[in-house]
Amino acid sequence: MAAFYHEGYLGAPGVDSGWTGNHAACDEGSTSPEFRAAVLRRVNYFRAMAGVGAEVEFTDELNRKAQKTALMLSVNSKLTHYPDADWLCYSQDGAFAAAKCNLFLGVDSVAAIDGYMEDRGNTNYAVSHRRWLLDPSTQQMGTGDIPASGAYLAANALWVVGPSSSPGHMRDPYVAWPPPGYVPYDLVFPRWSVSRDGMDLTRASVTMLHHGQRVALTVLEAVAGPGLNILVWEPHIPPRQRTEVDTWYTVRVEKALIKGWPASFQYTVVVFDPDTR
């Protein structure tokens, strides 16, 4: 798992975007194939760790439309899925894509993907960006990236919403982050989550154990779609804390419902330092 982290995660570095556009001319331009490949590698790393299909591809059409969205965000220094027609550099393609994308203002490239997975902030308690990024049914995405320049902020638009003819691959009967198994300490974000399509989690409970002792935690409001239904909680442990020894947490979810029938499941997360392997 340490080798996969070094190759799949750290192996997707902040490659220069090679952006060809221009803010003042409302030219969204494009980024280099190497840059987009690094962003895609980061997306598929998280998906592989979570046990969902990690063969997502970027398409030229979705990249192009997402690029128009990212330009609008950068030029206007505003973040919304529903931009107004009076925005500078407004385009119909960009406005349409905004409703289909995860959006980030102030960050682009692989750092935006990390931000979607962390999903911090009071308005992101349902970790919707994480849910879309880890949706098992997703097979195609697109990325739009505008680098910072002068007074213009960087921006990313990651197209994540689209039709699918398949429920997609799931290693486990749920999608969790952090996932079961060994997880690098710096990717253990403050919010933990478990999700599954069709699972009613509104009355579910979650407990965590560390060396047999219960871990205090705060459960956030369970949320039904769009995307997978999800349960989110914040354990009272230091996030992203480097650990000299592997740290084991057992998670147990109870009182969930699948087609009206009670369901429960348990898994173990092992937090480790990949630099010691």
Side-chain angles (χ1 to χ4, degrees):
M1 197 57 69
F4 184 44
Y5 171 81
H6 286 288
E7 179 181 351
Y9 181 80
L10 296 183
V15 178
D16 184 80
S17 67
W19 183 51
T20 63
N22 183 287
H23 288 92
C26 289
D27 177 7
E28 73 276 5
S30 62
T31 54
S32 72
E34 295 78 13
F35 176 85
R36 295 193 299 274
V39 176
L40 180 60
R41 192 172 187 177
R42 183 64 58 89
V43 168
N44 279 324
Y45 171 81
F46 280 116
R47 290 177 63 87
M49 285 288 291
V52 300
E55 296 81 31
V56 165
E57 297 179 344
F58 287 162
T59 72
D60 291 342
E61 179 184 8
L62 299 187
N63 288 338
R64 180 181 61 81
K65 292 179 179 179
Q67 191 71 17
K68 290 178 178 292
T69 302
L71 176 69
M72 292 165 58
L73 302 180
S74 180
V75 168
N76 292 276
S77 294
K78 295 180 181 179
L79 190 66
T80 177
H81 292 284
Y82 305 101
D84 294 328
D86 61 357
W87 273 31
L88 297 173
C89 302
Y90 178 88
S91 68
Q92 289 186 342
D93 278 349
F96 178 79
K100 305 290 186 180
C101 288
N102 284 348
L103 304 177
F104 218 123
L105 183 62
V107 172
D108 65 340
S109 187
V110 294
I113 307 306
D114 290 355
Y116 297 138
M117 286 297 300
E118 181 173 5
D119 244 358
R120 64 183 180 182
N122 293 335
T123 61
N124 292 323
Y125 70 92
V127 295
S128 298
H129 302 94
R130 181 190 298 177
R131 279 192 289 164
W132 284 118
L133 199 147
L134 299 181
D135 190 324
S137 68
T138 303
Q139 299 173 349
Q140 294 181 337
M141 293 185 184
T143 188
D145 292 271
I146 304 294
S149 177
Y152 297 111
L153 297 175
N156 171 268
L158 184 73
W159 190 301
V160 290
V161 181
S164 176
S165 59
S166 169
H169 166 76
M170 291 175 58
R171 177 189 62 209
D172 307 305
Y174 47 81
V175 179
W177 195 270
Y182 286 81
V183 183
Y185 74 92
D186 56 331
L187 302 182
V188 178
F189 305 119
R191 288 174 176 158
W192 294 40
S193 64
V194 64
S195 56
R196 172 175 164 152
D197 188 31
M199 180 184 290
D200 184 350
L201 293 161
T202 54
R203 298 183 180 179
S205 64
V206 58
T207 55
M208 287 178 59
L209 297 177
H210 173 54
H211 294 305
Q213 301 297 314
R214 291 189 66 155
V215 176
L217 54 84
T218 301
V219 179
L220 306 183
E221 182 182 355
V223 177
L228 304 181
N229 297 344
I230 197 163
L231 179 67
V232 184
W233 66 97
E234 296 176 344
H236 299 177
I237 58 175
R240 300 183 178 184
Q241 183 178 47
R242 186 183 293 273
T243 174
E244 295 182 359
V245 297
D246 295 350
T247 305
W248 296 60
Y249 294 99
T250 299
V251 177
R252 182 166 181 82
V253 176
E254 299 179 286
K255 299 179 183 178
L257 295 174
I258 300 177
K259 296 182 179 180
W261 291 90
S264 63
F265 48 91
Q266 178 175 300
Y267 58 93
T268 299
V269 175
V270 185
V271 182
F272 79 108
D273 183 350
D275 290 333
T276 62
R277 303 301 174 94

